[in-house]
Amino acid sequence: MTSYSLIGVMSGTSTDGLDLAYTTFSPVSKSSEKWSFELHHAKTYPYPEELIRSIRQAKELNGYALKELDIILGKFIGETVNRFVDEFSIDRTAVHAIASHGHTIFHQPSERITVQIGNGQVIASLTGIKTINNFREKDVLSGGQGAPLVPIGDLLLFSDLADSFLNLGGFANITSIRDNTPIAFDICPCNLPLNMYASLIGYPYDHNGELGRSVPNHNTGLVSTLNHLPYYSKKWPKSLGVEWLEEEFAPLLEIDELTAQEKLRICYDHISEQIAGSIRKLQAQKVLVTGGGAKNKFLVELIRQKSNSEILIPDSQLIDFKEAIVFAFLGVLFLIGQPNCLKSVTGADRDVCGGNEFLP
């Protein structure tokens, strides 16, 4: 088979929507490992408020309730895929598989634990389409971080565009291609704390960074304290989870005399310094930026000022749907039995072909 058509499904830690991308992938040539792709349709579907609340409270649930939520989220994903297929008149028989990230609830690779909910069998049964999910677990069980997963796509789909790839999602992560080998790691929290403090001011997120921009940069002491968190001195490969954010990061900002808007500005300064520092350390020349944070003009300005590298902002489709496209590509690699998670990125003892397959 020379081409594969998959629906990639991405649910980020920010719970700001379910991204779907119907994409066809074809090998560039027999002599090259690289692939080309054509994005046919893509759309973000919002989560119901009740489901958002359930997901955000999921780590507090007992085993039975967490399994119940796994089924509920799988049902929502399956129904959303059906809606997407109908809305864009997609021929189901032409879709080789659905590749679903699921939603991360626990991620503690040091304990060899990672849990993404969004039941794959429910998705396959509701849609009638083969479904692949649980892409991280095999890497974690092989001693890896199970993250980031996008670098294989950066290497094989996008490496003609830049030498480094920055994703500004709930957490910021970066991939840098060296000697045709990707190095990648989570840098720091990003949209999760920015959205949290914006919500305390009364906004779902900080549009263009306007709330943060309006506060002068004056609390350099607290920014410095955040910059000295032990995670930042660790060598890659390394990854972050919500547990770290709640236990290590957030408590340092629990200072009553600071307003939510001042805390928001502190986060901007901290995030941009960590990202720029990582870009400099990797000696990145051209950095392609995607993820929701790529639309935050203030954050991008700060990164540009502090990094001195060429920061490239692509079109809005690639900003919004790159991760969904890459998860579809991870599904392609699973179908053909090739590694989709690289030890150079995660620190595992071997490259693995991660994922579980569910038939309708």
Side-chain angles (χ1 to χ4, degrees):
M1 189 178 293
T2 57
S3 65
Y4 295 82
S5 297
L6 283 85
I7 296 174
V9 182
M10 179 65 198
S11 173
T13 49
S14 301
T15 57
D16 50 4
L18 193 68
D19 298 334
L20 273 66
Y22 179 45
T23 311
T24 297
F25 302 88
S26 304
V28 171
S29 69
K30 289 183 179 179
S31 60
S32 172
E33 292 185 339
K34 292 188 177 180
W35 292 67
S36 64
F37 71 92
E38 181 182 358
L39 176 62
H40 303 294
H41 306 290
K43 185 170 179 177
T44 299
Y45 294 86
Y47 283 109
E49 285 298 325
E50 184 177 349
L51 185 53
I52 291 175
R53 286 193 295 271
S54 297
I55 290 171
R56 290 179 177 171
Q57 296 167 4
K59 67 181 189 307
E60 310 297 337
L61 299 177
N62 63 31
Y64 180 90
L66 184 61
K67 184 60 182 177
E68 187 178 35
L69 183 58
D70 175 50
I71 300 292
I72 290 169
L73 181 57
K75 186 171 183 283
F76 172 73
I77 294 171
E79 290 174 345
T80 304
V81 170
N82 283 337
R83 181 177 164 193
F84 178 71
V85 166
D86 292 343
E87 189 172 340
F88 292 102
S89 301
I90 297 168
D91 179 3
R92 287 174 193 268
T93 63
V95 181
H96 293 98
I98 296 163
S100 177
H101 170 265
H103 197 92
T104 301
I105 304 302
F106 301 110
H107 184 69
Q108 294 182 301
S110 62
E111 306 297 324
R112 303 211 171 185
I113 292 172
T114 186
V115 176
Q116 285 77 45
I117 62 170
N119 191 278
Q121 187 60 68
V122 171
I123 298 169
S125 296
L126 282 174
T127 60
I129 301 170
K130 180 189 297 184
T131 297
I132 307 157
N133 72 353
N134 196 23
F135 286 97
R136 299 184 190 275
E137 188 172 40
K138 191 179 292 185
D139 180 82
V140 168
L141 293 175
S142 300
Q145 294 289 308
L149 291 180
V150 170
I152 188 73
D154 292 332
L155 176 65
L156 300 182
L157 297 175
F158 299 106
S159 58
D160 291 341
L161 300 178
D163 61 82
S164 299
F165 304 87
L166 175 65
N167 178 61
L168 301 178
F171 294 93
N173 55 63
I174 193 166
T175 303
S176 189
I177 310 295
R178 294 183 177 180
D179 301 322
N180 210 36
T181 301
I183 295 166
F185 55 93
D186 285 346
I187 300 173
C188 62
C190 189
N191 292 337
L192 278 174
L194 295 181
N195 291 351
M196 181 184 73
Y197 288 118
S199 71
L200 294 177
I201 303 166
Y203 299 86
Y205 64 96
D206 186 8
H207 180 67
N208 286 332
E210 292 167 2
L211 295 170
R213 189 194 296 274
S214 66
V215 179
N217 174 10
H218 66 278
N219 203 315
T220 54
L222 187 48
V223 174
S224 177
T225 299
L226 291 170
N227 286 339
H228 282 88
L229 281 164
Y231 175 82
Y232 298 129
S233 60
K234 289 183 180 178
K235 292 183 178 180
W236 60 74
K238 56 183 180 175
S239 63
L240 289 166
V242 175
E243 299 95 331
W244 177 89
L245 184 71
E246 294 175 347
E247 294 167 12
E248 304 280 338
F249 183 90
L252 296 178
L253 286 159
E254 290 176 2
I255 300 171
D256 291 340
E257 59 265 26
L258 292 176
T259 66
Q261 198 160 348
E262 288 171 327
K263 293 175 183 179
L264 180 66
R265 176 57 198 251
I266 288 164
C267 287
Y268 273 109
D269 293 322
H270 167 69
I271 292 165
S272 59
E273 287 185 21
Q274 286 301 319
I275 291 171
S278 295
I279 289 171
R280 292 194 302 270
K281 194 175 293 184
L282 292 167
Q283 299 180 326
Q285 302 300 309
K286 280 187 175 183
V287 183
L288 185 76
V289 185
T290 55
K295 296 180 178 180
N296 187 320
K297 292 181 179 179
F298 181 51
L299 179 58
V300 172
E301 282 176 24
L302 290 174
I303 295 168
R304 280 197 169 114
Q305 290 168 10
K306 297 174 182 181
S307 68
N308 297 318
S309 295
E310 186 177 357
I311 305 296
L312 307 174
I313 307 296
D315 63 68
S316 60
Q317 267 206 324
L318 196 54
I319 288 174
D320 291 337
F321 297 105
K322 177 171 176 272
E323 285 193 297
I325 292 167
V326 171
F327 269 90
F329 183 59
L330 294 179
V332 172
L333 296 176
F334 176 90
L335 291 175
I336 63 176
Q338 289 190 9
N340 55 17
C341 200
L342 303 176
K343 63 182 182 181
S344 68
V345 170
T346 68
D349 55 27
R350 60 194 171 99
D351 294 342
V352 302
C353 181
N356 294 342
E357 181 181 74
F358 297 90
L359 302 178

